[in-house]
Amino acid sequence: MDSSLLTQIFRRLLSHQTCSQLRFFPLATGRLAASSLGRRHYRRSKDDAQDAEDRQTSNWQQRTEIFPPNKMEEYQKAPVVTADTLRSRRERPRRVKMLARDFIEDSLYNPHYGYFPKQATIFSPGQPFDFNTMADEPEFHKQLSERYTAFEDELDAKEFSESRQLWHTPTELFRPYYGEAIARYLVTNYKLSHHPYHDLIIYELGAGNGTLMVNILDYIRDFHPDVYPRTKFKVIEISSALASLQINQLMRTASSRGHIDHVEIINRSIFVWDTYVPAPCFVLALEVFDNFAHDTIRYDPFTEIPLQGTVLIDSDGNFYEFYSREIDPVASRFLRVRHAACSKPFKHPLQQPRWLRKLEFSLPFAANLTDPEYIPTRLLQFFDILHTYFPLHQLLTSDFHFLPDSVKGYNAPVVQTRFQRRTVPVRTPYVMQGYFDILFPTDFSMMEDLYRAVTGKLTKVTSQGDWLRRWAYTEDTQTLSGENPMLSWYQNNPVYEMSNVTPE
């Protein structure tokens, strides 16, 4: 890990609001707003050992958009690369250009320097919290903070890091109750629709530490012994490091080792899936869509013609964004499907009346393009894969429908990292690859229409609190004051159920 370089970069981050600035040349520019989010927890740490590498860090500086350098010639000469072509590269690329979705995917998932394969660590609280003995929700916050500190102190004792990317999930915080709620949903729907003619087949995308997998299998074994022998749990995990953690989770205790014959961990991306699954199955995608790569689209405010964003990485490793009227087939199809399928209004740059938009963009010093719109092209591709290879699936997903303090734009992401155990938000997704979490909100209304258009299946959206009241034993996570952290946390996470029943 290039820790010396990273330490110098982050120290500059902490002394400035952001570490990178978008450049739009020759088109209009727009400064991105600072972002922050409480989903990931970050703490303070000790100073790392310094190692002066001025040659590597001399070009990392706060930049301005007032007089951006002319990079058109370098942009025209740079070869086009994709996230797929970069997967075999061990070093971050320079003197190349790529679509925004490829830059984001490479930053998050490249096996050699990507955020999830190399940086992300998922918090585990150890023993489950005893909510019934807590006075109230603030006591839960206090205990969680203490366990967070103890967890990272233990990690630092083994290997000190100023930039550990530590975050948590509801599965870990509310273990085993959250996983048991999902298990009840799965078994109930399985018995209603598929038992006894088919096995209970469960696919989980991005299983983290493997905690949810173990909680679900424990519940089915203990409370539904008739279903357990027919249960098959398959994890689709892009990160080799997390796949190893999931295997270790299975081997940790004698109880979990008993599940080995029921589990298959498939270390590959769902986007290269090519195996047809004819049997009915359940697909779990919990807090997965937020890290799907998006494309950036800006519109000519007068003609309303869309332009697609491309990122140039120059010879110094700096990032410049260009927009082109040539829309690639993936983004073009998304715009067509959204236009045809979406029956409910959604936020986008062309919402305001045309006369008002023309007036606004005719003012002195006005930009010549709208603010960027981040479109979930990877999400549409995921629905295509479900439709093509998992025709009898039932999808259960939960994610963030709103994220505060995102970067500037429509459906824009929160971009942040962690240094010395505290959050470092930045104002652009175009930052040093692999050291920043880039997470997007999910427009569930739009997603519902897209999913129906691609698969033809029925759907249901509900709040996570209402869903848990139906499927969880909520008294297990209730404090003495009557407050319930499992219901009050993650209130911005709707739950989305997709049925395998096709409407008449």
Side-chain angles (χ1 to χ4, degrees):
M1 176 179 174
D2 43 350
S3 59
S4 176
L5 169 62
L6 184 62
T7 297
Q8 299 224 12
I9 289 171
F10 283 163
R11 286 196 171 126
R12 298 200 180 194
L13 275 172
L14 294 177
S15 63
H16 299 288
Q17 282 189 304
T18 183
C19 64
S20 181
Q21 202 74 34
L22 283 185
R23 312 286 184 81
F24 305 104
F25 186 88
L27 304 177
T29 63
R31 182 169 302 221
L32 296 181
S35 63
S36 61
L37 180 67
R39 174 194 177 195
R40 320 291 196 198
H41 285 240
Y42 306 94
R43 303 281 188 262
R44 183 172 301 168
S45 175
K46 309 164 190 174
D47 284 338
D48 206 357
Q50 292 278 353
D51 189 16
E53 295 185 63
D54 294 336
R55 181 180 60 82
Q56 294 184 2
T57 61
S58 60
N59 292 312
W60 190 271
Q61 57 185 325
Q62 183 76 5
R63 301 200 289 270
T64 176
E65 296 174 324
I66 299 176
F67 300 106
N70 189 335
K71 290 286 182 177
M72 179 58 73
E73 183 178 356
E74 190 170 351
Y75 174 80
Q76 291 174 339
K77 292 180 178 179
V80 177
V81 297
T82 67
D84 289 338
T85 60
L86 293 174
R87 286 186 65 81
S88 60
R89 287 187 60 128
R90 295 185 174 273
E91 301 294 332
R92 295 168 180 82
R94 297 191 178 192
R95 294 187 289 273
V96 299
K97 60 189 174 187
M98 65 185 86
L99 294 174
R101 70 168 182 268
D102 286 305
F103 179 89
I104 293 169
E105 181 142 334
D106 182 61
S107 296
L108 294 176
Y109 299 111
N110 185 286
H112 303 292
Y113 51 77
Y115 178 85
F116 285 104
K118 292 299 180 182
Q119 302 297 332
T121 301
I122 303 174
F123 166 72
S124 176
Q127 291 298 316
F129 289 101
D130 188 356
F131 294 95
N132 296 157
T133 62
M134 296 181 186
D136 49 25
E137 193 163 328
E139 184 176 341
F140 168 64
H141 286 229
K142 178 183 177 182
Q143 290 191 25
L144 176 60
S145 179
E146 291 171 349
R147 294 200 192 188
Y148 241 101
T149 301
F151 180 81
E152 188 151 25
D153 286 346
E154 185 177 344
L155 292 178
D156 277 343
K158 297 177 181 177
E159 183 180 358
F160 177 74
S161 173
E162 283 193 316
S163 56
R164 181 177 294 109
Q165 305 301 306
L166 182 63
W167 47 277
H168 64 254
T169 67
T171 299
E172 299 291 345
L173 298 189
F174 306 112
R175 173 171 60 92
Y177 315 113
Y178 188 84
E180 289 176 352
I182 294 174
R184 288 188 194 95
Y185 166 86
L186 295 172
V187 172
T188 300
N189 282 273
Y190 166 69
K191 287 187 172 181
L192 285 173
S193 303
H194 309 306
H195 185 269
Y197 306 107
H198 299 280
D199 291 336
L200 172 55
I201 303 174
I202 306 164
Y203 286 87
E204 183 184 5
L205 272 63
N209 287 339
T211 302
L212 180 63
M213 168 184 66
V214 172
N215 291 164
I216 289 174
L217 291 172
D218 283 347
Y219 175 85
I220 296 175
R221 179 189 59 197
D222 296 343
F223 295 98
H224 296 276
D226 58 323
V227 173
Y228 182 71
R230 306 192 62 177
T231 301
K232 300 176 181 178
F233 201 106
K234 302 173 186 287
V235 173
I236 303 175
E237 178 58 66
I238 191 173
S239 168
S240 298
L242 290 176
S244 298
L245 277 179
Q246 293 150 18
I247 294 172
N248 293 337
Q249 183 78 286
L250 279 175
M251 302 300 294
R252 185 165 298 173
T253 66
S255 175
S256 60
R257 283 196 294 272
H259 299 315
I260 289 177
D261 291 339
H262 297 265
V263 173
E264 180 183 2
I265 296 177
I266 305 165
N267 187 197
R268 65 190 302 193
S269 169
I270 184 63
F271 294 107
V272 297
W273 190 270
D274 58 1
T275 303
Y276 187 75
V277 180
C281 62
F282 294 88
V283 178
L284 305 179
L286 306 177
E287 293 189 34
V288 172
F289 295 168
D290 60 339
N291 289 123
F292 276 0
H294 287 50
D295 273 291
T296 55
I297 299 291
R298 287 191 170 201
Y299 298 86
D300 185 305
F302 301 99
T303 65
E304 300 186 355
I305 293 175
L307 295 89
Q308 186 174 13
T310 301
V311 183
L312 168 69
I313 307 177
D314 72 4
S315 57
D316 293 322
N318 295 324
F319 309 107
Y320 302 86
E321 191 171 14
F322 291 75
Y323 281 87
S324 168
R325 294 177 186 269
E326 296 180 5
I327 310 295
D328 90 305
V330 174
S332 178
R333 176 173 177 261
F334 176 90
L335 295 175
R336 292 196 309 272
V337 172
R338 182 177 68 174
H339 178 75
C342 289
S343 58
K344 297 177 281 292
F346 53 88
K347 293 183 179 180
H348 62 90
L350 301 178
Q351 273 186 317
Q352 65 184 140
R354 181 175 296 184
W355 68 268
L356 181 59
R357 184 173 64 250
K358 288 184 176 180
L359 177 62
E360 177 185 340
F361 282 88
S362 298
L363 296 174
F365 307 108
N368 63 351
L369 292 178
T370 66
D371 287 338
E373 177 188 17
Y374 294 84
I375 58 172
T377 41
R378 268 306 204 187
L379 180 62
L380 186 62
Q381 291 179 318
F382 173 65
F383 291 159
D384 289 334
I385 289 170
L386 290 181
H387 177 62
T388 302
Y389 295 108
F390 302 84
L392 298 181
H393 75 274
Q394 287 181 246
L395 175 62
L396 180 69
T397 182
S398 175
D399 228 307
F400 303 98
H401 74 89
F402 168 75
L403 294 172
D405 303 318
S406 61
V407 305
K408 189 176 183 180
Y410 293 80
N411 197 44
V414 166
V415 185
Q416 61 186 13
T417 190
R418 182 172 180 272
F419 183 63
Q420 295 183 348
R421 303 194 185 188
R422 57 183 171 129
T423 304
V424 182
V426 298
R427 298 179 294 184
T428 167
Y430 305 114
V431 286
M432 188 175 185
Q433 304 95 310
Y435 289 113
F436 294 81
D437 191 7
I438 306 172
L439 57 156
F440 294 84
T442 299
D443 184 334
F444 277 77
S445 178
M446 180 198 299
M447 182 180 73
E448 188 174 22
D449 287 336
L450 293 176
Y451 179 82
R452 287 175 173 176
V454 172
T455 68
K457 294 180 180 290
L458 299 175
T459 58
K460 179 182 179 182
V461 180
T462 184
S463 71
Q464 182 155 263
D466 289 343
W467 191 89
L468 288 169
R469 288 183 185 94
R470 180 179 180 186
W471 296 105
Y473 291 160
T474 56
E475 58 270 20
D476 290 334
T477 55
Q478 183 171 300
T479 65
L480 296 174
S481 67
E483 295 172 300
N484 197 313
M486 187 169 69
L487 300 181
S488 60
W489 281 48
Y490 298 92
Q491 291 188 47
N492 63 335
N493 283 41
V495 174
Y496 196 30
E497 302 175 32
M498 288 80 156
S499 170
N500 67 347
V501 179
T502 302
E504 296 294 336

